[in-house]
Amino acid sequence: MDSKLGSLDSCKPSNNNVGSPPHNGCASIQDSHHHVSSSTTPSCDATLGRHLAHRLVQIGVNDVFSVPGDFNLTLLDHLIAEPGLTNIGCCNELNAGYAADGYARQRGVGACVVTFTVGGLSIINAIAGAYSENLPVICIVGGPNTNDYGTNRILHHTIGLPDFSQELRCFQTVTCYQAVVNNLEDAHEQIDKAISTALMLSKPVYISISCNLPGIPHPTFSREPIPFSLSPRMSNQMGLEAAVEATAALLNKAVKPVLVGGPNLRVAKACDAFAELADACGYALSAMPSAKGLVPEHHPHFIGTYWGAVSTAFCAEIIESADAYIFAGPIFNDYSSVGYSLLLKKEKAIIVQPDRVVVANGPTFGCVLMKDFLSALAKKLNRNTTAYENYHRIYVPNGVPPKCDPNEPLRVNVLFQHIQKMLSGNTAVIAETGDSWFNCQKLDLPEGCGYEFQMQYGSIGWSVGATLGYAQSVPDKRVIACIGDGSFQVTAQDVSTMLRCDQKTIIFLINNGGYTIEVEIHDGPYNVIKNWNYTGLVDAIHNGEGNCWTTKVTCEEELTRAIETVTGDKKDCLCFIEVIVHKDDTSKELLEWGSRVSAANSRPPNPQ
């Protein structure tokens, strides 16, 4: 793959319904730069804590994921006093951050609350993941008492130095804005600036609030704060027209052009415009792996996932043999490029990012918003179905896994054949880092079926917290989570929180005895983990409180009965199915991908 194409940066933010959540009817977002209460005497409830709670509800946050600590307890009192806000207490900070990540993927924005340093540094890995995936997460930390700043005192929960800035310095690298609120005079401005920046850039922000401030009234806080009104970003009209003209000229002279969607469709809020372009142009339509769920798989010209050597059958051949390809919102990294092995040429590519367009070896057009560009381009392209017709000629339907013998040990390909049948517009799939990436990638998503995974950051254990947050954001969908045993061991505790929240998720725990994705990249004894009685663990977590059903399956007959139960009698329960499979039972895509990533990782140093 051309190195310049693979190194194009991915631009900014991500998410379709920021601040105007489709499920809760909250007010649309707006911003308030300099509104001051009309009364100079604050009412007793015009406090910092109430202001923050109101702001969260205004932007579409109805649930905050938290872990209490002495520095944030008063703030939590004010948050839970807000009628539109529910506090979801998590078992640890990492899962609280992952839950806010999962919530933001569906709702458009998420929030979490932890305590100073011990909480902040525990959640920071999850916030880094949200940054990598362009998710606006409001990370709120209860900070030291205002009287302790500048006193040379040593506080608990710190590393033993009188300097309280360690946490802030860590968050500066994984958030787009940081606010340390340790006085009331500019608290209003700092909080509003942080929240509006998160929404505009679609990245996490950090807000530290001194523990003695949340309950104090101040004139800058009005009882009902003015809603946010964010200035809309607009395309440069001349640049837009020039970009469309140059792109249409290249594509309209191509013989077999193709269209590929990437993960930055979300940040650009361009999914509808992308579908409009796909309808108009007639090109063969594909999605990069991390764009699964953003590209309409029910579209008649959809040919599958483009993932280089591990693409859907016949998809890579059509994409890489095209004489022109338009990539909308791609991220080319070593994972998505399968160890830098994509067979793409820069001179054939149009790369559309959230605010710019690069046309082959020609010019780059800045200040052009993706959604405007795709909609305008749809009106200028000649309809060309050649690539799809070529695909249709060479396409051979997928084989069906061989039928299992009675009581034969269950195979992974049989498991996912059954999961496929469970999907509908009322379900959503959460795929954990690991072989579930590849097996879930092959699922055909019905219209309306949600799908999320964390490909850029790839943090194992992400899915437990993300499942909690995602399910909390869409109570009308049933979430199906596919989680490996190694990943589950990292974050298993928050199945407890799912039960407390009365969620109806179905978890398939795929027990193959270790970190299988690592095995296929580079094997060693460190990839073998201690086996747990996973159903016994979840039963212990359940402890008779809440609706929970668990089972362990080893063959297809048991799996069939389990699925009948979870979709029948136990459809209103959290259901946990431990699936026992052979340690070497992996997708063929993981074997190929692992070999290529291993080769990329083990390249020798260039001679100096």
Side-chain angles (χ1 to χ4, degrees), residues 191-268:
I191 289 170
D192 285 7
K193 179 68 181 295
I195 292 174
S196 60
T197 302
L199 298 175
M200 288 189 290
L201 299 184
S202 201
K203 293 282 192 185
V205 293
Y206 164 87
I207 304 175
S208 171
I209 296 180
S210 286
C211 60
N212 59 329
L213 295 185
I216 303 176
H218 194 267
T220 56
F221 302 124
S222 61
R223 179 172 168 78
E224 295 297 331
I226 298 167
F228 282 106
S229 180
L230 303 180
S231 300
R233 299 179 65 218
M234 300 178 69
S235 295
N236 178 301
Q237 194 59 34
M238 289 181 65
L240 173 63
E241 292 170 4
V244 168
E245 183 180 338
T247 301
L250 189 150
L251 292 175
N252 283 337
K253 70 181 182 184
V255 176
K256 45 185 181 178
V258 294
L259 176 61
V260 184
N264 279 334
L265 281 169
R266 190 203 309 256
V267 64

Side-chain angles (χ1 to χ4, degrees), residues 255-336:
V255 176
K256 45 185 181 178
V258 294
L259 176 61
V260 184
N264 279 334
L265 281 169
R266 190 203 309 256
V267 64
K269 302 177 181 59
C271 292
D272 291 343
F274 182 82
E276 178 187 348
L277 176 61
D279 289 340
C281 69
Y283 297 176
L285 171 66
S286 179
M288 297 183 76
S290 48
K292 189 174 180 70
L294 302 176
V295 172
E297 297 189 10
H298 57 278
H299 193 280
H301 285 185
F302 183 72
I303 65 172
T305 298
Y306 173 60
W307 200 353
V310 295
S311 299
T312 304
F314 311 104
C315 177
E317 293 81 358
I318 294 299
I319 301 299
E320 293 179 345
S321 67
D323 54 346
Y325 14 77
I326 176 168
F327 280 82
I331 295 177
F332 295 108
N333 62 23
D334 52 338
Y335 273 13
S336 67

